[in-house]
Amino acid sequence: MAERWFEHETVDDGVLRIREPNVDPFLQANLFLVRGRDHDVMVDTGLGIGSLREELAELFERPTIAVATHRHFDHTGGLHEFDEVVVHRDDADSVASARGFASLRIEDYPPEELSGYDPPASLITALPREGYELASYAVTPVTPTRVVEEGDEIDLGDRALTVLHLPGHTPGEIGLWEEATRTLFAGDCVYESGVLLDELPESDIADYVLSMQRLREIPARIVHGGHDDSFGRERLLELIDGYVRTRT
């Protein structure tokens, strides 16, 4: 049984990355806490196996807005712990109903999701509490308090995050762009390993190509992806060009 379910570190000025270390990298998402003057923003919330608000209470002393970059369960499992929840319009219904695939058992995954991965038999390496059953895992439905679209802003008081609609992985995939610091929170549109999932039932390769081409025009200094380590603009361009080359 895990003594703690989460670990966190500072990855940039006013940005903390939270991870679930007992989750296999195949399913381990990045959660980013962005500090603001008036309130903070929680970019994605993990699987919901452990309680962010209980275990990391010292990080959530101020009002915090939770933003889901997209509908998938490894990013939305903890949304129910937050009073304010932001989702793109095209993924909002799925979040509100918790509709979609969600499992901690590798045998439940379709082959297209396993492409490029060699995951172990169990997707968690420790139990969050005694007696926890993998088969009992489910995501709590959450009705978003705010539905956003391209160009909307999330105001933290002394900084602002602009919503970029980046469909392809899911219809409502978004990134968050902070122009002042040239920081991009990219969700699952792009991340360091480059093993991007674009053949899921809700995915669209043509949309994905357009989203990646769009990101080429974003002058990002640093990119915080939904998985793996953060990276800079040079690596972003490599990932974009590699993906577009294979899909066009």
Side-chain angles (χ1 to χ4, degrees), residues 31-68:
L31 326 177
F32 294 101
L33 184 63
V34 186
R35 298 296 202 187
R37 185 192 64 208
D38 298 340
H39 52 256
D40 300 337
V41 166
M42 185 79 246
V43 183
D44 291 330
T45 57
L47 290 162
I49 297 174
S51 172
L52 282 162
R53 302 301 296 257
E54 290 181 10
E55 184 173 320
L56 301 178
E58 73 279 5
L59 299 183
F60 297 106
E61 294 177 344
R62 290 188 294 179
T64 303
I65 300 170
V67 179

Side-chain angles (χ1 to χ4, degrees), residues 14-33:
V15 179
L16 284 74
R17 178 174 60 195
I18 302 170
R19 283 178 167 169
E20 299 174 276
N22 298 297
V23 175
D24 185 80
F26 172 73
L27 203 57
Q28 184 189 84
N30 290 324
L31 326 177
F32 294 101
L33 184 63

Side-chain angles (χ1 to χ4, degrees), residues 72-92:
H72 289 154
F73 68 100
D74 50 331
H75 298 262
T76 61
L79 286 177
H80 66 278
E81 294 196 70
F82 296 86
D83 293 332
E84 295 188 66
V85 174
V86 176
V87 183
H88 187 273
R89 182 173 304 280
D90 292 341
D91 276 2

Side-chain angles (χ1 to χ4, degrees), residues 39-233:
H39 52 256
D40 300 337
V41 166
M42 185 79 246
V43 183
D44 291 330
T45 57
L47 290 162
I49 297 174
S51 172
L52 282 162
R53 302 301 296 257
E54 290 181 10
E55 184 173 320
L56 301 178
E58 73 279 5
L59 299 183
F60 297 106
E61 294 177 344
R62 290 188 294 179
T64 303
I65 300 170
V67 179
T69 59
H70 61 293
R71 67 174 72 176
H72 289 154
F73 68 100
D74 50 331
H75 298 262
T76 61
L79 286 177
H80 66 278
E81 294 196 70
F82 296 86
D83 293 332
E84 295 188 66
V85 174
V86 176
V87 183
H88 187 273
R89 182 173 304 280
D90 292 341
D91 276 2
D93 287 347
S94 293
V95 170
S97 65
R99 185 175 67 246
F101 177 81
S103 178
L104 302 178
R105 302 185 302 181
I106 195 63
E107 62 266 26
D108 295 335
Y109 282 74
E112 61 269 22
E113 286 208 33
L114 300 177
S115 177
Y117 292 98
D118 184 23
S122 175
L123 290 173
I124 61 175
T125 58
L127 296 179
R129 50 194 170 274
E130 193 169 346
Y132 184 83
E133 296 287 344
L134 297 187
S136 70
Y137 177 73
V139 176
T140 302
V142 175
T143 300
T145 58
R146 181 182 176 190
V147 173
V148 293
E149 298 186 52
E150 167 72 28
D152 287 346
E153 281 197 352
I154 300 171
D155 184 6
L156 286 71
D158 58 344
R159 58 197 307 181
L161 302 175
T162 301
V163 173
L164 306 180
H165 186 203
L166 303 171
H169 183 59
T170 73
E173 176 84 44
I174 62 170
L176 297 174
W177 168 241
E178 185 176 37
E179 184 175 11
T181 60
R182 295 170 53 210
T183 299
L184 174 65
F185 298 93
D188 277 8
C189 184
V190 61
Y191 41 83
E192 220 289 330
S193 72
V195 183
L196 306 176
L197 300 179
D198 60 5
E199 294 182 313
L200 306 177
E202 63 271 34
S203 301
D204 185 292
I205 291 174
D207 281 347
Y208 214 137
V209 169
L210 292 175
S211 292
M212 291 290 266
Q213 290 174 329
R214 182 194 183 185
L215 286 183
R216 220 182 189 289
E217 308 306 314
I218 301 294
R221 170 187 60 89
I222 188 167
V223 180
H224 302 301
H227 301 269
D228 307 326
D229 291 336
S230 302
F231 52 94
R233 179 166 172 76

